Short mmCIF file of all heavy atoms in Angstrom, two decimals:
data_model
loop_
_atom_site.label_atom_id
_atom_site.label_comp_id
_atom_site.label_asym_id
_atom_site.label_seq_id
_atom_site.Cartn_x
_atom_site.Cartn_y
_atom_site.Cartn_z
N LYS L 1 -43.98 -37.01 1.11
CA LYS L 1 -42.95 -37.93 0.60
C LYS L 1 -41.98 -38.33 1.71
O LYS L 1 -41.60 -39.50 1.83
CB LYS L 1 -42.19 -37.27 -0.56
CG LYS L 1 -43.01 -37.09 -1.82
CD LYS L 1 -42.20 -36.41 -2.91
CE LYS L 1 -43.00 -36.25 -4.19
NZ LYS L 1 -42.24 -35.53 -5.24
N ARG L 2 -41.56 -37.37 2.53
CA ARG L 2 -40.64 -37.66 3.62
C ARG L 2 -41.29 -38.55 4.67
O ARG L 2 -40.67 -39.46 5.22
CB ARG L 2 -40.14 -36.37 4.24
CG ARG L 2 -39.22 -35.58 3.29
CD ARG L 2 -39.03 -34.15 3.79
NE ARG L 2 -38.38 -34.11 5.09
CZ ARG L 2 -38.47 -33.09 5.93
NH1 ARG L 2 -39.21 -32.03 5.60
NH2 ARG L 2 -37.85 -33.13 7.08
N LEU L 3 -42.57 -38.29 4.95
CA LEU L 3 -43.29 -39.15 5.90
C LEU L 3 -43.40 -40.58 5.37
O LEU L 3 -43.22 -41.54 6.13
CB LEU L 3 -44.70 -38.58 6.14
CG LEU L 3 -44.81 -37.46 7.17
CD1 LEU L 3 -46.17 -36.79 7.06
CD2 LEU L 3 -44.60 -38.01 8.58
N ALA L 4 -43.70 -40.71 4.09
CA ALA L 4 -43.80 -42.04 3.50
C ALA L 4 -42.48 -42.80 3.61
O ALA L 4 -42.47 -44.00 3.91
CB ALA L 4 -44.24 -41.93 2.03
N GLU L 5 -41.37 -42.10 3.41
CA GLU L 5 -40.06 -42.74 3.56
C GLU L 5 -39.84 -43.21 5.00
O GLU L 5 -39.36 -44.32 5.24
CB GLU L 5 -38.96 -41.76 3.15
CG GLU L 5 -38.89 -41.48 1.66
CD GLU L 5 -37.83 -40.44 1.32
OE1 GLU L 5 -37.08 -40.05 2.23
OE2 GLU L 5 -37.77 -40.03 0.15
N LEU L 6 -40.19 -42.36 5.96
CA LEU L 6 -40.01 -42.71 7.37
C LEU L 6 -40.87 -43.90 7.75
O LEU L 6 -40.45 -44.78 8.51
CB LEU L 6 -40.38 -41.52 8.26
CG LEU L 6 -39.36 -40.41 8.39
CD1 LEU L 6 -39.95 -39.24 9.17
CD2 LEU L 6 -38.11 -40.93 9.11
N LEU L 7 -42.10 -43.93 7.24
CA LEU L 7 -43.04 -44.98 7.59
C LEU L 7 -42.90 -46.22 6.72
O LEU L 7 -43.62 -47.21 6.92
CB LEU L 7 -44.47 -44.44 7.50
CG LEU L 7 -44.79 -43.27 8.44
CD1 LEU L 7 -46.18 -42.69 8.13
CD2 LEU L 7 -44.72 -43.70 9.90
N LYS L 8 -42.00 -46.14 5.73
CA LYS L 8 -41.72 -47.27 4.83
C LYS L 8 -42.97 -47.71 4.06
O LYS L 8 -43.29 -48.89 3.95
CB LYS L 8 -41.12 -48.45 5.60
CG LYS L 8 -39.76 -48.14 6.21
CD LYS L 8 -39.19 -49.34 6.93
CE LYS L 8 -37.74 -49.11 7.36
NZ LYS L 8 -37.55 -47.90 8.18
N ILE L 9 -43.67 -46.72 3.51
CA ILE L 9 -44.83 -46.98 2.69
C ILE L 9 -44.74 -46.13 1.43
O ILE L 9 -43.91 -45.23 1.33
CB ILE L 9 -46.15 -46.65 3.42
CG1 ILE L 9 -46.17 -45.17 3.84
CG2 ILE L 9 -46.36 -47.56 4.62
CD1 ILE L 9 -47.50 -44.71 4.40
N SER L 10 -45.60 -46.43 0.48
CA SER L 10 -45.66 -45.62 -0.74
C SER L 10 -46.36 -44.30 -0.45
O SER L 10 -47.35 -44.26 0.30
CB SER L 10 -46.43 -46.38 -1.82
OG SER L 10 -46.85 -45.51 -2.84
N PRO L 11 -45.88 -43.19 -1.03
CA PRO L 11 -46.62 -41.92 -0.88
C PRO L 11 -48.07 -42.04 -1.35
O PRO L 11 -48.95 -41.38 -0.81
CB PRO L 11 -45.82 -40.95 -1.77
CG PRO L 11 -44.45 -41.52 -1.83
CD PRO L 11 -44.64 -43.02 -1.80
N LEU L 12 -48.31 -42.89 -2.35
CA LEU L 12 -49.67 -43.08 -2.83
C LEU L 12 -50.57 -43.66 -1.75
O LEU L 12 -51.75 -43.32 -1.65
CB LEU L 12 -49.68 -43.98 -4.07
CG LEU L 12 -48.98 -43.42 -5.31
CD1 LEU L 12 -49.04 -44.42 -6.46
CD2 LEU L 12 -49.61 -42.09 -5.73
N SER L 13 -50.00 -44.56 -0.92
CA SER L 13 -50.79 -45.13 0.18
C SER L 13 -51.19 -44.05 1.16
O SER L 13 -52.33 -44.01 1.64
CB SER L 13 -49.99 -46.22 0.90
OG SER L 13 -49.75 -47.32 0.06
N LEU L 14 -50.27 -43.14 1.46
CA LEU L 14 -50.56 -42.06 2.39
C LEU L 14 -51.58 -41.09 1.80
O LEU L 14 -52.34 -40.46 2.54
CB LEU L 14 -49.26 -41.32 2.75
CG LEU L 14 -49.25 -40.51 4.04
CD1 LEU L 14 -49.71 -41.34 5.22
CD2 LEU L 14 -47.84 -39.97 4.29
N LEU L 15 -51.61 -40.99 0.49
CA LEU L 15 -52.59 -40.13 -0.18
C LEU L 15 -53.94 -40.83 -0.36
O LEU L 15 -54.88 -40.23 -0.87
CB LEU L 15 -52.05 -39.70 -1.55
CG LEU L 15 -50.90 -38.68 -1.52
CD1 LEU L 15 -50.25 -38.57 -2.89
CD2 LEU L 15 -51.40 -37.32 -1.05
N GLY L 16 -54.01 -42.09 0.03
CA GLY L 16 -55.27 -42.82 -0.10
C GLY L 16 -55.55 -43.33 -1.48
O GLY L 16 -56.69 -43.58 -1.86
N ILE L 17 -54.49 -43.50 -2.27
CA ILE L 17 -54.63 -43.99 -3.63
C ILE L 17 -54.13 -45.43 -3.67
O ILE L 17 -53.01 -45.72 -3.28
CB ILE L 17 -53.82 -43.14 -4.62
CG1 ILE L 17 -54.31 -41.68 -4.56
CG2 ILE L 17 -53.94 -43.69 -6.04
CD1 ILE L 17 -53.45 -40.73 -5.35
N GLY L 18 -54.98 -46.36 -4.14
CA GLY L 18 -54.56 -47.74 -4.20
C GLY L 18 -54.97 -48.51 -2.95
O GLY L 18 -55.91 -48.16 -2.25
N VAL L 19 -54.22 -49.56 -2.66
CA VAL L 19 -54.55 -50.48 -1.57
C VAL L 19 -53.73 -50.13 -0.34
O VAL L 19 -52.55 -49.82 -0.44
CB VAL L 19 -54.26 -51.94 -2.00
CG1 VAL L 19 -54.64 -52.90 -0.88
CG2 VAL L 19 -55.01 -52.28 -3.27
N GLU L 20 -54.37 -50.18 0.81
CA GLU L 20 -53.67 -49.98 2.08
C GLU L 20 -53.34 -51.35 2.67
O GLU L 20 -54.21 -52.23 2.71
CB GLU L 20 -54.55 -49.21 3.07
CG GLU L 20 -55.02 -47.86 2.60
CD GLU L 20 -56.04 -47.26 3.55
OE1 GLU L 20 -55.82 -47.34 4.79
OE2 GLU L 20 -57.06 -46.73 3.08
N TYR L 21 -52.12 -51.50 3.17
CA TYR L 21 -51.70 -52.75 3.79
C TYR L 21 -51.24 -52.47 5.22
O TYR L 21 -50.55 -51.49 5.48
CB TYR L 21 -50.55 -53.39 3.01
CG TYR L 21 -50.91 -53.81 1.61
CD1 TYR L 21 -50.52 -53.03 0.51
CD2 TYR L 21 -51.64 -54.96 1.36
CE1 TYR L 21 -50.85 -53.40 -0.78
CE2 TYR L 21 -51.98 -55.34 0.07
CZ TYR L 21 -51.58 -54.56 -0.99
OH TYR L 21 -51.92 -54.93 -2.28
N TYR L 22 -51.61 -53.37 6.13
CA TYR L 22 -51.20 -53.25 7.53
C TYR L 22 -50.74 -54.62 8.02
O TYR L 22 -51.47 -55.62 7.86
CB TYR L 22 -52.38 -52.76 8.39
CG TYR L 22 -52.87 -51.40 7.99
CD1 TYR L 22 -53.91 -51.25 7.08
CD2 TYR L 22 -52.28 -50.25 8.51
CE1 TYR L 22 -54.35 -49.99 6.69
CE2 TYR L 22 -52.72 -48.99 8.12
CZ TYR L 22 -53.75 -48.87 7.22
OH TYR L 22 -54.18 -47.62 6.84
N ASN L 23 -49.54 -54.67 8.59
CA ASN L 23 -49.07 -55.96 9.10
C ASN L 23 -49.02 -56.01 10.63
O ASN L 23 -48.43 -56.92 11.19
CB ASN L 23 -47.70 -56.35 8.51
CG ASN L 23 -46.64 -55.30 8.77
OD1 ASN L 23 -46.74 -54.51 9.71
ND2 ASN L 23 -45.60 -55.30 7.95
N ARG L 24 -49.66 -55.02 11.27
CA ARG L 24 -49.81 -55.05 12.72
C ARG L 24 -51.26 -54.71 13.07
O ARG L 24 -51.86 -53.83 12.44
CB ARG L 24 -48.87 -54.05 13.40
CG ARG L 24 -47.40 -54.30 13.11
CD ARG L 24 -46.54 -53.22 13.74
NE ARG L 24 -46.45 -53.38 15.18
CZ ARG L 24 -46.06 -52.39 16.00
NH1 ARG L 24 -45.79 -51.20 15.51
NH2 ARG L 24 -45.98 -52.61 17.29
#
C-alpha cells in the first residue's frame, strides 16, 4: 500500500489485478 502511494498507482495494479497503465 505504501509503495502504491509513492508510485501514484492503485495497490491493485501492483498486485497484478486489473489493467496496468504506463505513460512512459
Side-chain angles (χ1 to χ4, degrees):
K1 291 179 179 178
R2 292 165 62 202
L3 277 166
E5 289 177 7
L6 282 173
L7 298 173
K8 295 181 172 56
I9 59 172
S10 163
L12 295 179
S13 295
L14 201 52
L15 288 167
I17 301 171
V19 182
E20 302 172 44
Y21 296 102
Y22 298 92
N23 58 23
R24 300 177 74 198

